[in-house]
Amino acid sequence: MASGDETQHGSAPLTCLVTGATGYVGGRLVPELLAAGHRVRCLARSPEKLRDQPWAGQVDVVRGDVTDRASMIGAMRDVDIAYYLVHALGTGAGFEETDRKAARLFADVAAGAEVRRIVYLGGLTPSDVPVSQLSPHLRSRAEVGEILLAGPVPATLLRAAVVIGSGSASFEMLRYLTERLPVMVTPSWVGTRIQPIAIRDVLRYLVASARMPDEVDRAFDIAGPDIMTYRDMMERYAKVAGLPHRLILPVPMLSPRLSSHWIGLVTPVPRSIARPLAESLRHEVVCGEHDIARYVPDEPGAPLAFDEALALALLRVRDAQVMTRWSNAAVPGAPSDPLPTDPDWAGGSLYTDVRERDVHAPASALWRVVEGIGGENGWYSLPVAWALRGWLDRLVGGVGLRRGRRDAARLRVGDSLDFWRVEEIEPGRLLRLRAEMRLPGLAWLEMRVEETGAGRSRYRQRAVFHPRGLFGHAYWWSVSPFHAIVFGGMARNIARAAEAETG
């Protein structure tokens, strides 16, 4: 064992193995463990998926699989705490047996390696329903927990219901359903009581579990303070997200199978994941105890209330109710930041228009044109269209185009620029603007300059739109036919202006 004679609840660093580091929870847990002073080893079937993580150089990454004994033996060597954060949901009809075999192997190898503790994040299950009658998803989670507890290594099982955080499959279902449907014909499970938990609290409990006293060998229910129905969750999501009230009409004949088809039509969450999650929503999942507080005392303001968790998951600053940088895509430092390993369908809808041009002018000349955009210089495409958009914005109470710019040649972060705001600037390389016009969503315009050599450069332009509600989606598709003229012309004319400057 890596830590000698120190006890788990001492202060010496522990060596932690994180399985599922390429997944939603695991990818967020790793930096929290590092921040707590622990050493971290990640087990991944595809280690290359972790190379873009900001913490990749601080951890030991090994290739392997929880169903492969040889790779597990190597991964467990000199490990104190082993986090089991994998499951076979979405892999097909045989996922329950795969989960059983993997859990048995994990417990067996951990015992042989003299691992001090296994920590597992499972699903909250109703106390009055036999395991055999649970949905396949919850049944498998419960069985994995029982297997790990039955092994010789002390285990901490954390049982959670819906996890509120951008990237969580359950939360993404909630996000897409509520944002895309102002009127919903829903299954009867919208009336099922649920006790959700913020990803921030899940991570807090997971990290603290590494220091559990040696004698602790049991399951704990973990959740936030709010008990509500799925309907309540959708209505409160709409309120926090600034959407109009949603009309929700439950229809009893919508079975879990039909529900999964319905979810598949409305959301990009894969049906292989949506179906078992929808089947699980028929069960009431409310905590039967809060014993975890004996070992992980509740901090001020924790666990987070549902609305607070939503505000973080929606990437909003709670007081201002505005999104921060889309490039960082989160409240700074919040553990709900989208990560490189998050699935493509996580994070809500994001529409983009991308343009790129090779420019026969040095990067310095191209940058001068980019930094001088707006104000008297205009936007390099269809001045009448930009003027009309500014006039319409003023008509509905927006800022319009009259603000111009502070300086004719230089920009800095925070400057107003017509109906944009300079969000970020890297001199000579990057200008990112955030729209302050009245829109049914949030919008950014990014312009990049790259030196390509021999007096030439490349111009990259990207417009990004995060729609709010069904009207936001309709807005994007109504204006997208004009993007080739507006954004395409803008990229073309910026390139020409830089070339003209150099003769």
Side-chain angles (χ1 to χ4, degrees):
M1 293 182 289
S3 301
D5 296 328
E6 295 285 344
T7 61
Q8 282 189 2
H9 47 284
S11 58
L14 300 169
T15 298
C16 301
L17 173 68
V18 177
T19 62
T22 59
Y24 173 66
V25 175
R28 287 160 172 78
L29 175 62
V30 170
E32 298 296 311
L33 290 171
L34 291 171
H38 299 308
R39 296 177 289 267
V40 178
R41 179 179 299 156
C42 298
L43 178 76
R45 285 180 296 179
S46 303
E48 58 275 9
K49 290 184 178 181
L50 298 176
R51 65 188 175 197
D52 292 330
Q53 294 282 13
W55 41 259
Q58 303 174 56
V59 303
D60 176 23
V61 180
V62 296
R63 185 184 298 274
D65 191 288
V66 292
T67 61
D68 177 63
R69 179 177 290 273
S71 64
M72 287 305 306
I73 290 174
M76 291 274 196
R77 188 173 296 115
D78 296 325
V79 163
D80 296 305
I81 310 298
Y83 285 89
Y84 192 83
L85 303 175
V86 294
H87 57 94
L89 178 67
T91 60
F95 78 90
E96 289 183 82
E97 182 57 29
T98 300
D99 275 341
R100 285 189 209 101
K101 290 181 178 178
R104 292 186 184 115
L105 177 61
F106 195 84
D108 183 50
V109 175
E114 297 185 337
V115 170
R116 292 181 174 185
R117 177 168 300 280
I118 293 172
V119 181
Y120 169 59
L121 178 63
L124 190 59
T125 57
S127 58
D128 58 345
V129 178
V131 171
S132 61
Q133 295 180 24
L134 294 173
S135 69
H137 166 56
L138 285 183
R139 182 170 63 235
S140 179
R141 290 296 190 95
E143 288 177 346
V144 167
E146 291 172 356
I147 291 169
L148 297 177
L149 275 179
V153 177
T156 299
L157 274 57
L158 303 177
R159 303 189 300 191
V162 172
V163 176
I164 303 300
S166 180
S168 159
S170 297
F171 174 76
E172 295 300 338
M173 281 173 47
L174 173 68
R175 182 206 299 266
Y176 284 108
L177 289 173
T178 310
E179 293 215 348
R180 294 186 173 184
L181 296 177
V183 178
M184 287 177 264
V185 177
T186 60
S188 58
W189 49 249
V190 297
T192 302
R193 293 200 313 160
I194 301 169
Q195 194 169 357
I197 184 171
I199 181 61
R200 175 171 293 185
D201 289 312
V202 172
L203 296 175
R204 182 168 60 89
Y205 290 131
L206 284 169
V207 172
S209 292
R211 299 289 187 188
M212 284 280 183
D214 295 335
E215 66 273 13
V216 175
D217 187 21
R218 56 161 293 184
F220 297 94
D221 293 350
I222 60 172
D226 299 288
I227 299 174
M228 61 192 71
T229 65
Y230 204 87
R231 177 175 186 156
D232 295 332
M233 291 170 61
M234 289 191 286
E235 290 175 343
R236 287 169 71 169
Y237 180 103
K239 182 177 180 180
V240 172
L243 300 171
H245 177 73
R246 271 29 195 164
L247 182 59
I248 301 171
L249 306 173
V251 178
M253 68 279 299
L254 272 177
S255 67
R257 180 184 292 271
L258 290 175
S259 297
S260 65
H261 287 297
W262 170 66
I263 292 169
L265 288 173
V266 177
T267 83
V269 179
R271 183 172 175 269
S272 60
I273 296 175
R275 180 177 177 181
L277 291 179
E279 289 175 339
S280 299
L281 288 171
R282 72 175 188 263
H283 298 300
E284 180 176 284
V285 280
V286 175
C287 286
E289 43 84 10
H290 187 52
D291 295 348
I292 189 72
R294 298 178 190 171
Y295 307 98
V296 189
D298 293 336
E299 301 172 352
L304 288 176
F306 180 73
D307 288 0
E308 186 73 22
L310 274 183
L312 290 176
L314 288 171
L315 322 178
R316 294 175 184 269
V317 178
R318 182 161 175 75
D319 293 335
Q321 288 293 291
V322 294
M323 184 179 285
T324 58
R325 304 171 191 275
W326 64 265
S327 57
N328 187 44
V331 175
S336 54
D337 294 357
L339 300 179
T341 53
D342 281 353
D344 293 339
W345 42 263
S349 301
L350 201 66
Y351 295 118
T352 61
D353 181 277
V354 180
R355 309 283 166 172
E356 183 175 321
R357 294 189 70 86
D358 290 321
V359 182
H360 297 278
S364 57
L366 178 57
W367 176 253
R368 283 193 292 272
V369 176
V370 169
E371 192 175 11
I373 201 166
E376 295 297 325
N377 292 326
W379 294 87
Y380 292 92
S381 70
L382 285 183
V384 173
W386 286 93
L388 177 61
R389 186 63 185 88
W391 179 81
L392 290 173
D393 194 52
R394 295 280 291 182
L395 189 65
V396 296
V399 297
L401 284 172
R402 294 184 183 178
R403 294 191 304 183
R405 43 184 298 150
R406 175 190 58 82
D407 184 281
R410 297 286 181 267
L411 292 173
R412 63 189 182 192
V413 172
D415 277 358
S416 61
L417 182 60
D418 295 331
F419 45 46
W420 303 89
R421 179 76 61 180
V422 178
E423 183 177 85
E424 185 160 335
I425 185 167
E426 297 177 16
R429 296 185 61 249
L430 167 69
L431 174 63
R432 182 178 298 127
L433 308 174
R434 184 180 71 247
E436 293 190 334
M437 66 192 82
R438 293 295 182 93
L439 290 168
L442 300 161
W444 293 264
L445 180 62
E446 179 187 84
M447 291 165 272
R448 290 184 179 270
V449 173
E450 297 178 3
E451 185 76 64
T452 57
R456 296 189 177 189
S457 55
R458 181 171 294 115
Y459 174 68
R460 300 179 187 270
Q461 175 184 294
R462 176 158 58 169
V464 179
F465 182 65
H466 190 292
R468 181 182 296 118
L470 189 62
F471 185 49
H473 293 274
Y475 171 82
W476 173 264
W477 290 112
S478 68
V479 299
S480 60
F482 304 101
H483 286 172
I485 300 173
V486 175
F487 292 128
M490 182 179 175
R492 182 173 59 252
N493 291 330
I494 284 176
R496 288 175 178 173
E499 292 167 349
E501 181 178 316
T502 58

